[in-house]
């Protein structure tokens, strides 16, 4: 199951509560060196940070992973999908704290909303709203005109919820059925409906509560999280829907979270959309320019770098006249858009190089905003930028499937030589000291059971990759893509499942494991003693009266 699939978003969902040269000998996983981790790729946004309706509809709903132990939703039915989105909106409406509300709370100027802080309290509200949905009469033609879908789609979704809640549709009566109990049973079930409802609930919570949730997630699996690196996202210009929490507010709230004295260090990535930068330059849009927001996030608010999302519709380099874009964008910007995007990206690379800031880029053929846009995430499109900016710190996200054909592959090559991973491998082999990495986030295949042949083939390919391109295992990073990973029914054992795959299936020794889970991230992010990023964080801690003992942990990699 791949992150491209709709509810990879559902990675939010904690369902209930919430290398040295690799040797082929097995190493016990309770080695102290393998238990500390840096989660290099995570998310802690809520529904006010996303163009939720358009995001779900355009990006994710064309593919759907299987959920739970039994599927009851006919997700191939567009009307059911429309009503599932409608249910999401109903569940989250008016509940998620926007960034300014959370800033006030963290500054001691507001009272906490327990339902936005505690998953169990949040779940109770979700269950009540689902029960209200079950009690509703069939939608009238006038109500359907105000919302997408059909009466049949609404009925199908209601039937799926009832089945997950232990009620036969033919026995259902809004007057006599205990809809509260049915909604509660559906919420707690292992059906796909339960997965979605729990995921929806997480979109209603404080970002700092989600951070704490993620830290506990790792601790419950026996790992000590030293650093969590959440990424902001910006899809609005491509999807035509703005968000309730403006980007600068999102930056400021994450800066407040980074200043909390307890728990692991929390320093992540500010998002950058070159299209938003183009609009700002072309039309002098109000507020700070996206590139200025990036600079301020890194210098003032403790951010480590930038998150990029090429499948929205841009390449990191080489956008060309005639390249396909959404029609409304072409109408507003005309055919100069490709050249403008290239300039906006080049300016970002120059800024990141100057600040030693890291970039993490979505690098999977998935979650695209338009036809064939996902291919714009191909690592081959990054090669010109890496030649122009050889010191650019860059990580390709979602490494390991060896299933996408790269435009940079040698002619007539076959898999895995033609894969995106092999393009990455050939690049690091040219210079083993290049600050170029790939993360193993949302590598959901390690959670799958019962397909020994597929797992064996994947591990053999991974062994071959490491042997050919990265024998010291200095370029692979651990990440979860959490919030997005939670859609997987066994996501709550992801760190150990990945460790088991690398250790037992791929033969990584203890040193290699420590590199993947911890040491390589220190190098990728520039957190070594005396490095500019480390010094910038030390100033951030001093300015905010924080104990800098967290920084000493990075010297133990």
């Amino acid at each position: 199951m791949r992150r491209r699939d709709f509810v990879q978003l559902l990675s939010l969902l904690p369902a209930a509560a919430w290398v040295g040269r690799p040797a082929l000998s097995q190493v016990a996983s309770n080695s102290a060196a393998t238990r500390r981790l840096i989660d290099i790729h995570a998310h802690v946004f809520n529904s006010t940070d996303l163009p939720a309706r358009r995001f779900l509809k355009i990006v994710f709903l064309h593919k759907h992973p299987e959920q739970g132990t039994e599927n009851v939703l006919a997700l191939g039915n567009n009307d059911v999908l429309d009503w599932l989105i409608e249910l999401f909106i109903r569940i989250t409406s008016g509940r998620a704290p926007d960034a300014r509300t959370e800033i006030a709370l963290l500054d001691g100027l507001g009272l906490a909303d327990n339902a936005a802080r505690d998953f169990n309290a949040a779940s109770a509200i979700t269950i009540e709203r689902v029960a209200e949905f079950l009690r509703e009469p069939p939608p009238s033609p006038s109500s359907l005109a105000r919302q997408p879908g059909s009466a049949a789609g609404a009925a199908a979704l209601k039937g799926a919820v009832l089945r997950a809640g232990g009620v036969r549709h033919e026995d259902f009566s809004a007057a006599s059925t205990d809809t509260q109990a049915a909604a509660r049973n559906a919420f707690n079930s292992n059906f796909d409906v339960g997965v979605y409802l729990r995921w929806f609930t997480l979109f209603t919570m404080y970002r700092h509560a989600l951070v704490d949730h993620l830290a506990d997630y790792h601790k419950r699996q026996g790992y000590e999280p030293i650093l969590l690196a959440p990424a902001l996202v910006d899809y609005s210009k491509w999807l035509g829907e703005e968000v309730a929490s403006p980007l600068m507010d999102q930056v400021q709230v994450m800066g407040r979270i980074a200043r909390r004295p307890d728990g692991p260090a929390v320093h992540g990535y500010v998002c950058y959309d070159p299209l938003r930068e183009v609009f700002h330059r072309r039309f002098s849009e109000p507020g700070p320019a996206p590139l200025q927001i990036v600079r301020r996030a890194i210098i003032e608010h403790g951010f480590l770098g930038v998150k990029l999302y090429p499948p929205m519709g841009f390449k990191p380099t080489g956008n060309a006249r005639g390249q396909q874009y959404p029609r409304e964008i072409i109408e507003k910007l005309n055919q100069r858009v490709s050249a403008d995007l290239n300039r906006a990206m080049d300016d970002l690379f120059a800024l990141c190089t100057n600040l030693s800031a890291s970039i993490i880029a979505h690098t999977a053929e998935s979650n695209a905003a338009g036809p064939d846009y996902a291919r714009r995430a191909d690592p081959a499109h990054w090669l010109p930028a890496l030649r122009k900016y050889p010191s650019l710190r860059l990580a390709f996200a979602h490494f390991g499937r060896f299933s996408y054909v790269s435009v940079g592959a040698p002619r007539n090559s076959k898999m895995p030589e033609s894969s995106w991973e092999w393009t990455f491998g050939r690049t690091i082999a040219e210079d083993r000291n290049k600050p170029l990495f790939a993360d193993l986030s949302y590598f959901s295949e390690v959670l799958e059971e019962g397909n020994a042949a597929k797992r064996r083939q994947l591990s053999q390919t991974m062994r071959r990759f490491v042997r050919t391109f990265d024998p010291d295992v200095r370029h692979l990073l651990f990440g979860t893509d959490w919030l997005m990973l939670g859609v997987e029914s066994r996501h709550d054992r992801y760190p150990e499942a990945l460790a088991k795959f690398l250790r037992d299936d791929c033969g990584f020794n203890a040193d290699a494991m420590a590199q993947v889970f911890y040491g390589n991230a220190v190098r990728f992010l520039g957190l070594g003693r005396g490095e500019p990023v480390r010094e910038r964080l030390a100033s951030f801690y001093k300015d905010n009266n924080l104990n800098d003992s967290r920084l000493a942990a990075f010297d133990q990699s």
Side-chain angles (χ1 to χ4, degrees):
M1 177 183 323
R2 297 175 182 166
R3 182 179 187 276
R4 77 178 78 186
D5 304 332
F6 160 48
V7 178
Q8 315 224 73
L9 256 184
L10 297 171
S11 31
L12 276 156
L13 149 129
W18 285 31
V19 219
R21 188 176 304 277
L24 297 183
S25 60
Q26 297 179 0
V27 179
S29 67
N30 61 1
S31 165
T34 67
R35 306 312 293 186
R36 304 164 75 240
L37 63 76
I38 292 175
D39 191 341
I40 204 70
H41 184 171
H43 301 282
V44 294
F45 42 62
N46 69 25
S47 64
T48 73
D49 302 325
L50 292 172
R53 190 185 295 273
R54 297 275 290 177
F55 184 49
L56 297 179
K57 180 66 175 179
I58 296 177
V59 179
F60 289 98
L61 295 186
H62 64 292
K63 293 284 186 179
H64 316 281
E66 294 182 358
Q67 296 300 325
T69 59
E70 188 172 356
N71 299 309
V72 293
L73 281 170
L75 289 181
N77 184 326
N78 287 334
D79 288 334
V80 174
L81 293 176
D82 286 335
W83 274 96
L84 186 62
I85 296 173
E86 181 65 27
L87 185 58
F88 170 85
I89 299 301
R90 294 187 188 192
I91 286 172
T92 60
S93 179
R95 295 176 60 187
D98 64 25
R100 291 182 185 178
T101 299
E102 189 164 352
I103 290 169
L105 176 65
L106 293 173
D107 285 348
L109 302 177
L111 296 176
D113 178 357
N114 191 51
R117 183 174 55 185
D118 178 75
F119 185 74
N120 291 328
S123 300
I125 298 176
T126 296
I127 290 167
E128 175 54 37
R129 294 195 177 184
V130 173
E132 291 173 359
F133 169 68
L134 293 177
R135 290 193 292 268
E136 286 182 359
S140 65
S142 60
S143 67
L144 289 173
R146 296 190 299 270
Q147 55 195 171
S150 67
L157 178 57
K158 186 177 292 187
V161 174
L162 289 169
R163 180 179 172 187
V167 178
R168 295 191 306 174
H169 203 180
E170 57 269 26
D171 296 335
F172 172 70
S173 166
S176 60
T177 301
D178 186 346
T179 54
Q180 192 78 14
R184 182 171 56 253
N185 292 340
F187 182 93
N188 291 316
S189 75
N190 287 325
F191 285 83
D192 49 358
V193 170
V195 172
Y196 294 146
L197 295 179
R198 294 188 294 267
W199 173 61
F200 291 172
T201 301
L202 290 177
F203 272 108
T204 70
M205 299 185 71
Y206 290 118
R207 298 154 194 82
H208 70 273
L210 295 173
V211 165
D212 294 342
H213 216 28
L214 177 57
D216 289 343
Y217 168 94
H218 288 307
K219 291 174 184 176
R220 288 194 301 269
Q221 296 174 77
Y223 287 84
E224 179 187 2
I226 303 302
L227 169 67
L228 305 177
L232 307 183
V233 294
D234 183 8
Y235 310 124
S236 293
K237 288 296 185 184
W238 296 98
L239 300 184
E241 180 185 347
E242 287 297 337
V243 299
S245 292
L247 180 54
M248 195 63 223
D249 290 352
Q250 295 182 47
V251 167
Q252 290 174 343
V253 74
M254 293 308 298
R256 298 299 201 284
I257 293 171
R259 285 155 44 181
R260 295 193 304 167
D262 301 321
V266 181
H267 302 287
Y269 314 94
V270 58
C271 51
Y272 178 75
D273 175 18
L275 183 62
R276 186 179 293 278
E277 179 73 15
V278 170
F279 269 87
H280 192 278
R281 293 177 181 184
R282 190 81 72 87
F283 303 116
S284 300
E285 292 190 337
L291 205 60
Q292 293 173 332
I293 293 175
V294 168
R295 178 184 287 276
R296 290 183 60 186
I298 293 169
I299 294 177
E300 301 174 17
H301 296 283
F303 282 71
L304 296 171
V306 178
K307 174 66 184 291
L308 291 170
Y309 218 94
M312 283 295 106
F314 64 91
K315 297 175 185 176
T317 59
N319 295 285
R321 185 177 178 85
Q323 184 170 298
Q324 187 176 14
Y325 299 104
R327 183 173 59 185
E328 57 270 24
I329 290 174
I330 292 294
E331 290 174 351
K332 293 177 180 177
L333 297 176
N334 65 50
Q335 290 297 330
R336 287 170 43 200
V337 61
S338 288
D340 288 348
L341 286 171
N342 289 336
R343 280 191 290 271
M345 290 301 300
D346 194 66
D347 291 343
L348 174 73
F349 299 149
L351 176 64
C352 288
T353 299
N354 182 54
L355 296 176
S356 294
S358 302
I359 292 175
I360 188 165
H362 182 92
T363 316
E365 198 173 284
S366 60
N367 298 350
D372 297 325
Y373 290 10
R375 297 177 186 176
R376 297 174 192 181
D378 189 336
H381 298 310
W382 283 91
L383 299 183
L386 293 173
R387 287 191 289 267
K388 184 175 182 179
Y389 299 98
S391 63
L392 188 68
R393 298 179 183 274
L394 175 64
F396 295 137
H398 314 303
F399 174 92
R401 293 188 173 89
F402 308 98
S403 58
Y404 315 129
V405 176
S406 174
V407 297
R411 189 175 182 180
N412 297 325
S413 60
K414 299 180 180 179
M415 286 293 181
E417 289 86 352
S418 61
S419 68
W420 289 15
E421 285 82 358
W422 243 249
T423 293
F424 162 69
R426 286 188 290 267
T427 306
I428 59 174
E430 293 172 358
D431 179 0
R432 295 274 168 79
N433 293 316
K434 184 183 289 294
L436 179 62
F437 300 81
D439 80 32
L440 295 165
S441 64
Y442 212 112
F443 191 21
S444 57
E445 282 79 356
V446 302
L447 298 173
E448 296 177 3
E449 298 177 351
N451 193 336
K454 179 180 178 181
R455 189 180 183 98
R456 182 167 56 253
Q457 181 181 20
L458 197 59
S459 65
Q460 289 172 347
T461 306
M462 183 71 79
R463 285 176 181 241
R464 181 181 168 195
F465 173 89
V466 170
R467 185 170 60 248
T468 304
F469 301 117
D470 193 20
D472 295 325
V473 192
R474 289 174 53 82
H475 296 269
L476 298 180
L477 304 165
F478 169 78
T480 56
D481 197 22
W482 188 80
L483 283 202
M484 311 302 275
L485 182 68
V487 62
E488 301 291 339
S489 60
R490 289 177 288 274
H491 77 94
D492 58 348
R493 62 182 183 89
Y494 182 76
E496 187 54 29
L498 178 62
K500 185 177 187 300
F501 174 76
L502 296 177
R503 182 185 64 243
D504 298 347
D505 295 72
C506 300
F508 284 27
N509 66 16
D511 288 341
M513 298 291 289
Q515 291 282 65
V516 172
F517 275 74
Y518 191 80
N520 290 340
V522 173
R523 292 190 302 108
F524 165 57
L525 296 170
L527 295 174
R529 188 178 295 275
E531 294 193 70
V533 176
R534 170 76 168 264
E535 297 302 312
R536 188 161 58 239
L537 278 187
S539 296
F540 176 82
Y541 280 39
K542 181 178 180 181
D543 292 344
N544 291 286
N545 299 313
L546 296 171
N547 188 323
D548 65 358
S549 60
R550 288 171 173 168
L551 301 180
F554 302 129
D555 298 329
Q556 303 172 36
S557 59

